[in-house]
Amino acid sequence: QVHLVESGGGLVQAGGSLRLSCQTSESILDFNSMGWYRQVPGTPRKLVARVITSGTTAYADSVKGRFTISRDNVKNTVYLQMNSLKPEDTAVYYCNADSGFIAYWGQGTQVTVSS
């Protein structure tokens, strides 16, 4: 059973920064991709950013230039650095690990950006 443990959420003022962390119980290189999604109550979960095995990254248009996804292969941890946060970034953020057959999810961490 793969476990993803997220940390780093919280309350921040608009314009501030937060860094989310997601540590896996297995090597992150075992997964085709790792990513961050976010969800606002009553709406679908949406991709924020992801990184594939080669290191290629992809971002939602709404966060390009403000968020950066990175990984530490030794610590089996994926990070999401979030800068210039906006109130519309408020959501529960979920870590995702995709093996190509199964998608694993973390428990979610709340990010709240006040105006």
Side-chain angles (χ1 to χ4, degrees):
Q1 182 71 22
V2 175
H3 296 284
L4 306 179
V5 180
E6 299 145 340
S7 61
L11 173 64
V12 65
Q13 289 187 332
S17 298
L18 284 174
R19 188 177 80 157
L20 306 183
S21 301
C22 172
Q23 187 172 35
T24 70
S25 58
E26 297 185 6
S27 171
I28 61 174
L29 296 178
D30 288 345
F31 302 105
N32 290 349
S33 70
M34 294 204 63
W36 289 93
Y37 289 68
R38 65 188 183 189
Q39 187 171 26
V40 176
T43 67
R45 194 171 295 184
K46 296 181 179 179
L47 176 69
V48 175
R50 71 172 183 173
V51 55
I52 64 175
T53 306
S54 67
T56 302
T57 57
Y59 297 91
D61 288 343
S62 60
V63 306
K64 284 181 181 177
R66 300 188 298 122
F67 290 12
T68 302
I69 188 169
S70 62
R71 67 186 186 194
D72 185 324
N73 297 341
V74 174
K75 294 182 178 179
N76 292 324
T77 300
V78 174
Y79 303 97
L80 184 68
Q81 178 66 44
M82 305 185 293
N83 298 328
S84 301
L85 282 161
K86 304 176 181 180
E88 51 263 44
D89 294 317
T90 296
V92 178
Y93 284 70
Y94 294 91
C95 180
N96 168 270
D98 188 345
S99 71
F101 300 98
I102 301 175
Y104 301 93
W105 295 93
Q107 79 282 2
T109 185
Q110 177 70 47
V111 172
T112 302
V113 184
S114 63
S115 57

